[in-house]
Amino acid sequence: MLLRADLNVPLEDEHVADDTRIEAALPTLSLLREGGARIVLVSHLGRPKGPDPAFSMRPVAERLDERLGAPLGRADAVVGEEVRAAAEELDPGQVLLLENSRFEPGETKNDPELAGRLAQLAELYVNDAFGSSHRAHATTEGVAQLLPAYAGLLLEREVVELSSVRDAPEQPLIVILGGAKVSDKIGVIESFLERAEAILIGGAMCFSFFSAQGTPTGESLVEEEGVVLASRALEAAEGSGCELVLPSDLELGRAFAEGTERRHLDGTEVPDGWMGLDIGPGTADAYAERIALAGTVLWNGPMGAFELEPFAAGTRRVAEAVAEGPGKSIVGGGDSAAALVEFGLAEKVDWLSTGGGASLELLEGKELPGVEALDDA
Ligand code: ADP
Ligand code: MG
């Protein structure tokens, strides 16, 4: 069978820097191996523009070997005669890892010819790559049209958890949004105005909202397009019954740097020469209180520049509140997930989504092509 997993892990010096996604792919892989499947495993890795040794699956294969306790077979290409021969020689329970699917230009174009060649490698297709399923690519959508196509355990759980927050959350639902770009998250804001009791805004995103309200933002990160979107969201919030909550105090720095000069701002008018790099403790406490009373908490995007230790406090406080709160907690977004892992809280939330863009699109109510194409969708 052909198994599409999301093994798109961050690399550092050609080593796996964070293996969260590899771990998340293991349950389906192990279940299929125990069931005696002959598994052709495929994923993309990074964004190479064609074959590029810097994006080879080799480091992923090494990590998988360690985790599976047995060496898996590795192909030097995605498709072709040699790959086909190797796939045919697989014994039950054996795994053949293909090269990075993006080495084939047809992958992102969802080229039917590439999909056809992938389909020749197996009789059955399983998609477990939730994080890639918002893209109609040859390994996520194209091949699913050609073979009997089913969901893997991870993809299924992602869809179940995220759809349940979207469609039938235990109330009150509190949504916490942060991170860098309003434009990434505007769809989620608009879709949850109908369903959430409150949307708590933090991260650089809040400065597009402040700018839209005419509040000075100093040197803070403000997205031009974001200001337009933010004023649209503020307007839509007016009559919605959902509260759109902005920070009431901030932590400022001179520059986006660990050792930068810092000051607290009891208010939100950022003076010239300063940038907002975290929500203040007053805001963090207020957000934590709301989170503690929620039936469901959905969190996407850090509250500040948490990679810089002096500006991690707001994100940490919110992460703790999300982890400790009695409500159901769902967290999405690569950086928010990384923050939870860093704070040692990843095990304490109910669901930590592996899909950034895919989780946002599902929450917005968009259809994911890689999911729709499955026979059991
Ligand atoms: P996620 O991956 O969880 O969806 P994003 O990618 O949207 O989150 O945003 C994460 C990034 O936002 C982090 O790199 C963080 O440094 C940045 N960020 C958050 N708050 C600020 C801020 N006030 N100023 C500049 N960057 C910020
Ligand atoms: Mg991110």
Side-chain angles (χ1 to χ4, degrees), residues 178-181 184-185 202-207 220-221 251 256 275-279 299-308 315 332-338 356 360:
K181 289 167 78 187
D184 283 353
K185 297 179 188 175
M205 224 168 88
C206 71
F207 299 105
S220 307
L221 191 65
E251 297 303 315
F256 191 100
M275 59 176 71
L277 289 171
D278 195 10
I279 57 172
W299 177 33
N300 185 300
M303 295 291 99
F306 76 100
E307 308 93 320
L308 312 175
T315 302
D335 290 287
S336 330
L360 290 173

Side-chain angles (χ1 to χ4, degrees), residues 69-365:
L72 41 72
R74 206 169 71 77
D76 290 327
V78 184
V79 286
E81 267 324 301
E82 278 175 38
V83 175
R84 210 171 142 176
E88 264 160 29
E89 274 167 29
L90 285 172
D91 288 327
Q94 272 190 333
V95 183
L96 174 69
L97 177 66
L98 303 185
E99 240 325 337
N100 190 339
S101 62
R102 294 213 185 167
F103 284 8
E104 286 292 327
E107 163 72 332
T108 54
K109 294 183 194 134
N110 199 9
D111 176 12
E113 196 208 315
L114 176 60
R117 297 174 81 189
L118 287 162
Q120 285 172 1
L121 299 175
E123 270 106 59
L124 187 82
Y125 170 75
V126 173
N127 186 3
D128 209 25
F130 176 74
S132 308
S133 291
H134 57 316
R135 309 260 182 252
H137 289 169
T139 59
T140 58
E141 203 271 346
V143 71
Q145 304 291 357
L146 303 175
L147 292 174
Y150 300 97
L153 299 172
L154 174 64
L155 182 137
E156 184 180 19
R157 178 90 193 266
E158 290 271 16
V159 172
V160 166
E161 295 289 352
L162 295 169
S163 326
S164 85
V165 190
R166 186 192 59 195
D167 301 332
E170 186 77 37
Q171 295 289 352
L173 166 65
I174 300 289
V175 178
I176 311 137
L177 291 177
K181 289 167 78 187
V182 184
S183 48
D184 283 353
K185 297 179 188 175
I186 186 72
V188 172
I189 296 179
E190 292 185 337
S191 114
F192 279 95
L193 282 176
E194 309 292 321
R195 280 164 282 179
E197 179 183 83
I199 301 177
L200 316 178
I201 308 269
M205 224 168 88
C206 71
F207 299 105
S208 293
F209 283 87
F210 285 135
S211 183
Q213 291 178 328
T215 306
T217 54
E219 319 308 315
S220 307
L221 191 65
V222 177
E223 208 191 339
E224 217 173 291
E225 188 197 358
V227 180
V228 180
L229 297 173
S231 45
R232 206 173 81 189
L234 285 164
E235 221 169 275
E238 285 284 318
S240 72
C242 170
E243 232 181 308
L244 204 54
V245 186
L246 295 173
S248 54
D249 64 342
L250 296 166
E251 297 303 315
L252 310 182
R254 290 284 188 188
F256 191 100
E258 192 97 14
T260 189
E261 186 188 345
R262 279 186 286 152
R263 59 163 288 205
H264 170 73
L265 176 66
D266 203 6
T268 55
E269 295 192 13
V270 182
D272 286 345
W274 293 90
M275 59 176 71
L277 289 171
D278 195 10
I279 57 172
T283 305
D285 282 346
Y287 285 8
E289 272 174 38
R290 310 264 330 222
I291 292 164
L293 297 174
T296 309
V297 184
L298 171 65
W299 177 33
N300 185 300
M303 295 291 99
F306 76 100
E307 308 93 320
L308 312 175
E309 182 47 39
F311 300 101
T315 302
R316 184 177 281 117
R317 180 90 173 88
V318 163
E320 284 166 355
V322 170
E324 284 159 14
K328 179 157 190 179
S329 48
I330 310 278
V331 182
D335 290 287
S336 330
L340 269 181
V341 170
E342 194 186 309
F343 304 149
L345 297 170
E347 308 295 317
K348 296 206 170 155
V349 298
D350 291 299
W351 186 245
L352 184 52
S353 176
T354 54
S359 68
L360 290 173
E361 291 196 16
L362 193 149
L363 291 167
E364 280 171 47

Side-chain angles (χ1 to χ4, degrees), residues 9-64:
V9 291
L11 296 178
E12 245 169 51
D13 305 324
E14 294 181 25
H15 279 88
V16 176
D18 172 10
D19 65 1
T20 308
R21 284 180 165 165
I22 293 178
E23 287 291 323
L26 290 175
T28 299
L29 192 55
S30 303
L31 182 75
L32 293 173
R33 288 181 71 214
E34 283 157 21
R38 300 169 165 89
I39 303 164
V40 178
L41 178 60
V42 66
S43 173
H44 80 284
L45 179 61
R47 295 168 176 246
K49 297 265 178 304
D52 178 346
F55 291 93
S56 162
M57 295 301 283
R58 183 187 303 272
V60 174
E62 283 165 6
R63 187 61 62 95
L64 270 171

